[in-house]
Amino acid sequence: MSKLTDLTIKELNIGYDKKEFKASEVTEAYLKNIDENSNLNAYITVTADEALVQSKLSDERIGKGCRLSQMDGVPIGVKDLFCTKDIRTTAASHILDDFVPPYESTVTSNLLNAGSIFLGKTNLDEFAMGGANLTSYFGEAINPIKRATDGKEVVTGGSSGGSAASVAGGLAAGSLGTDTGGSIRQPAAFTGIVGLKPTYGRCSRYGIIAYASSLDQAGPMCKTVEDTAIMLNHMAGFDEKDSTSVDIAVPDFTQGICDGVKGMKIGIPKELLNESIDKDIEASWKDKAVRILKDAGAEIVEISLPNLKYALATYYILAPAEASSNLARYDGVRFGLRVDGDSLDDMYLNTRTAGFGEEVKRRIMVGTYVLSAGYYDAYYLKALKVQKLIRQDYLNVFKDIDLVMTPTTPMPAFTVEESKNFDPITMYLQDIFTVPINLAKLPAISVPISLSSTDKLPIGIQLIGRDFDESTILKAAKVIEGAK
Amino acid sequence: MDRNEVLGIAKLARLKFEDKELDSIEKDMGQIIDWIDILQQADVSSLEENSSDIEAGLRVREDIVKISGLSKELIRNAKEPYESFFTVPKVVD
């Protein structure tokens, strides 16, 4: 039998049904792996005691043949952006490094009610702002996959870098991420796993520490497409505590997942054909993915998304604007760090200056600027309008096609040293394929397709679907996964 | 983006920068603002003025009083609570 930590969620289910092993054994194996691989810095907080207690409860249910769900007894990592009751939740920021929430986020609550076991809180970019997990107050997470040519460690991507490292490194059977501009899909691509950003409103945002509320969405990060579907089944659903969560039926996402893509029409945006893309990624997209889907019976067509060129600028106005407002709450009064000052204003200033890292401050500054008098109309309101055009572009093409396909990232994972030569804009350009999807509120998945030719680093393909049509992207992703 | 503008924004954002940091934040913000300026080229004339972002309509809940009973737990994270209050530096002489 393969190692317990190599098993997929699906395989864990089969094993539990046959009583081949116990949830507590699986949990102990994961905790051992976490301990032995602490160099990956995948977790900010490991909740070993709580996990073992939860696993014993799963053991009892499995023993009696009364499993709560397919997630019962499945040990997972939770991005440290989800509030977890009585368990420290930091957002990877100094300003929250001793914050213990008195309540549970809806998504983690759903997973707990389904019997999932929480191994701990995974590392991320501070307040989910970053594309390489380099901005965490707790240090960067490390990609379990090294670059073949020089053996160097590479970044996990971000912001859900710890969640990606935990799944790719065998430190969790699946992990929770959040995605505001690519924070699930990009690290999934960099670490060779599957990551799905559901439609905005599919999962509740209640209890997720806000970055850009109109774009943030929770999603699963797993070893396989089917695991991703299983985990999403137990995350999604309407929640009265989040007024933007949508009251729409949640299908069983595993249903029909093997149905294939025969008869589907899949679009390639012509505006991206001349983007500067790594040649291996370009070949994986234009050649390999196209061939796989064509061979499986899909029709590939060229489409036009004329406003795509404005997506990054739109995102880097709207997201910082919302962040500057959302992060105004960190003032030292009610929770988090407090640095005293002579006056109330001094205390605010000292607390925020000491508590936030460089990238967070940069985004608060840009956000404050685009919302300030004299610039609000020219930047913020204009960006809101362009966002509508971008969404309209997608709605137009979805009248004729079922999916849009792009690469997930323009380049494979890089080293920490290489990233030091990046200015902020070079880093922001990493999000070129993922950001438009958040602006358009649509669901998208990143699925591994190949390894780069010399460095042997993972490459991900992104599939984008209609509003609330996660099922179709899962079907197509399953075809790409199965063709490897 | 000049130094005074950066200092004005920093004041609004309740952030303080050392002189050395100011050089780099001024440079970064200048670059970012130039970069997002591409948006001025976008033609948004096809959109109706004041068209709502909310297509499906926001859900409105019933206005029902609920007791969370969380006040003790909520104050637990405050650095300097006094009984059931948050305290701040003196604001009135």
Side-chain angles (χ1 to χ4, degrees):
Chain A
M1 194 176 74
S2 50
K3 270 168 54 186
L4 290 175
T5 52
D6 288 340
L7 300 177
T8 64
I9 295 175
K10 174 91 181 292
E11 289 164 341
L12 284 176
N13 273 278
I14 294 167
Y16 289 148
D17 286 345
K18 292 183 181 166
K19 300 199 168 61
E20 286 175 352
F21 42 75
K22 291 180 171 182
S24 52
E25 291 166 351
V26 178
T27 303
E28 280 164 19
Y30 273 115
L31 290 170
K32 186 162 171 281
N33 265 7
I34 292 169
D35 193 41
E36 288 171 355
N37 293 279
S38 58
N39 62 309
L40 296 179
N41 205 18
Y43 286 86
I44 290 173
T45 306
V46 179
T47 51
D49 293 344
E50 291 86 348
L52 289 170
V53 170
Q54 288 170 341
S55 72
K56 295 281 182 201
L57 296 172
S58 285
D59 283 350
E60 282 177 29
R61 292 190 293 265
I62 293 165
K64 286 190 283 191
C66 300
R67 286 184 73 212
L68 295 171
S69 78
Q70 285 187 296
M71 288 303 291
D72 198 346
V74 176
I76 60 171
V78 176
K79 187 178 185 177
D80 205 14
L81 201 63
F82 290 83
C83 284
T84 41
K85 189 174 184 334
D86 298 332
I87 291 168
R88 182 175 77 140
T89 300
T90 69
S93 181
H94 181 33
I95 213 160
L96 279 180
D97 62 9
D98 62 356
F99 175 61
V100 179
Y103 64 96
E104 189 77 33
S105 87
T106 297
V107 164
T108 50
S109 177
N110 290 349
L111 284 163
L112 285 172
N113 290 337
S116 308
I117 296 159
F118 290 174
L119 295 165
K121 307 298 292 288
T122 57
N123 205 347
L124 67 149
D125 280 296
E126 184 180 1
F127 283 103
M129 297 180 198
N133 211 127
L134 298 173
T135 71
S136 168
Y137 177 68
F138 300 92
E140 66 262 21
I142 301 295
N143 196 324
I145 298 164
K146 289 192 170 65
R147 193 154 68 184
T149 38
D150 55 13
K152 281 196 172 161
E153 286 179 341
V154 292
V155 300
T156 53
S159 67
S160 310
S163 295
S166 71
V167 176
L171 316 184
S175 262
L176 269 181
T178 64
D179 191 317
T180 307
S183 284
I184 286 174
R185 292 159 286 158
Q186 186 251 25
F190 275 13
T191 55
I193 63 165
V194 182
L196 186 143
K197 182 202 91 74
T199 315
Y200 185 77
R202 177 62 97 181
C203 296
S204 170
R205 291 183 300 106
Y206 177 77
I208 299 175
I209 295 173
Y211 158 24
S213 315
S214 79
L215 305 167
D216 297 341
Q217 184 60 205
M221 303 174 78
C222 295
K223 291 171 187 159
T224 68
V225 173
E226 188 160 5
D227 283 4
T228 306
I230 292 171
M231 195 161 154
L232 182 61
N233 276 346
H234 299 284
M235 296 169 58
F238 170 68
D239 177 17
E240 64 174 18
K241 291 176 184 153
D242 172 8
S243 64
T244 61
S245 95
V246 176
D247 195 358
I248 184 172
V250 179
D252 175 356
F253 294 107
T254 63
Q255 201 72 42
I257 201 166
C258 296
D259 284 356
V261 293
K262 199 167 180 356
M264 274 190 206
K265 234 174 166 178
I266 300 174
I268 306 273
K270 67 175 185 192
E271 286 79 7
L272 297 179
L273 292 174
N274 297 318
E275 276 300 332
S276 144
I277 306 173
D278 171 90
K279 66 174 175 32
D280 289 332
I281 293 182
E282 193 172 16
S284 297
W285 173 42
K286 290 183 191 167
D287 303 333
K288 189 173 179 185
V290 165
R291 178 178 49 74
I292 291 169
L293 293 169
K294 268 187 179 168
D295 287 352
E299 183 188 349
I300 309 292
V301 295
E302 202 172 279
I303 55 159
S304 176
L305 299 165
N307 292 292
L308 217 46
K309 58 179 176 288
Y310 302 123
L312 273 174
T314 304
Y315 177 84
Y316 278 100
I317 291 171
L318 295 181
E322 292 189 32
S324 74
S325 170
N326 273 327
L327 272 59
R329 76 190 67 175
Y330 303 104
D331 57 10
V333 176
R334 290 155 301 155
F335 43 71
L337 183 75
R338 176 169 185 152
V339 180
D340 284 329
D342 293 337
S343 65
L344 182 60
D345 229 23
D346 270 356
M347 187 194 78
Y348 292 158
L349 194 68
N350 294 341
T351 299
R352 293 165 60 79
T353 299
F356 292 134
E358 191 184 333
E359 180 62 24
V360 172
K361 285 179 186 162
R362 193 180 290 126
R363 294 199 196 188
I364 291 175
M365 288 289 285
V366 171
T368 306
Y369 177 82
V370 299
L371 289 175
S372 63
Y375 299 104
Y376 181 83
D377 286 3
Y379 290 110
Y380 183 69
L381 279 188
K382 182 79 186 252
L384 280 179
K385 287 180 179 168
V386 178
Q387 179 186 19
K388 278 179 208 159
L389 292 179
I390 292 168
R391 174 162 163 82
Q392 197 56 52
D393 281 353
Y394 280 97
L395 297 184
N396 286 341
V397 298
F398 279 129
K399 287 175 189 161
D400 296 318
I401 62 168
D402 301 289
L403 291 170
V404 176
M405 179 170 71
T406 74
T408 309
T409 63
M411 60 193 275
F414 39 85
T415 66
V416 176
E417 299 82 66
E418 283 161 356
S419 74
K420 286 183 180 144
N421 297 322
F422 293 177
D423 58 27
I425 292 173
T426 308
M427 197 58 113
Y428 297 169
L429 286 168
Q430 296 296 315
D431 304 335
I432 187 161
F433 299 123
T434 48
V435 148
I437 321 311
N438 299 75
L439 293 171
K441 318 254 175 189
L442 300 168
I445 199 167
S446 177
V447 60
I449 185 160
S450 49
L451 298 177
S452 61
S453 53
T454 50
D455 289 335
K456 305 294 176 206
L457 289 171
I459 291 173
I461 286 292
Q462 177 176 240
L463 296 157
I464 304 144
R466 296 189 181 97
D467 279 336
F468 298 102
D469 192 11
E470 289 84 0
S471 296
T472 299
I473 58 178
L474 286 161
K475 279 177 201 169
K478 181 88 178 148
V479 169
I480 289 179
E481 179 185 60
K484 277 185 297 170
Chain B
M1 182 66 55
D2 62 29
R3 181 62 54 105
N4 276 339
E5 214 166 2
V6 172
L7 289 171
I9 297 294
K11 192 177 174 202
L12 286 173
R14 299 294 188 277
L15 291 172
K16 193 167 58 187
F17 295 97
E18 302 296 330
D19 282 347
K20 204 179 132 206
E21 291 175 305
L22 274 172
D23 289 339
S24 86
I25 191 87
E26 189 180 321
K27 179 171 148 270
D28 289 348
M29 283 187 72
Q31 274 185 3
I32 293 168
I33 302 303
D34 284 347
W35 179 65
I36 60 181
D37 220 38
I38 186 186
L39 226 57
Q40 304 317 322
Q41 298 168 20
D43 178 7
V44 295
S45 58
S46 62
L47 293 170
E48 284 173 36
E49 200 58 34
N50 300 323
S51 65
S52 169
D53 187 41
I54 313 293
E55 289 158 34
L58 268 185
R59 190 183 175 90
V60 181
R61 63 166 171 78
E62 292 297 314
D63 191 14
I64 301 168
V65 177
K66 288 182 184 169
I67 309 294
S68 74
L70 275 177
S71 54
K72 274 191 188 138
E73 285 79 6
L74 286 174
I75 205 108
R76 190 177 65 186
N77 276 287
K79 285 292 174 298
E80 292 176 35
Y82 173 73
E83 294 180 351
S84 60
F85 300 98
F86 301 108
T87 64
V88 294
K90 198 172 175 183
V91 286
V92 182
D93 283 324

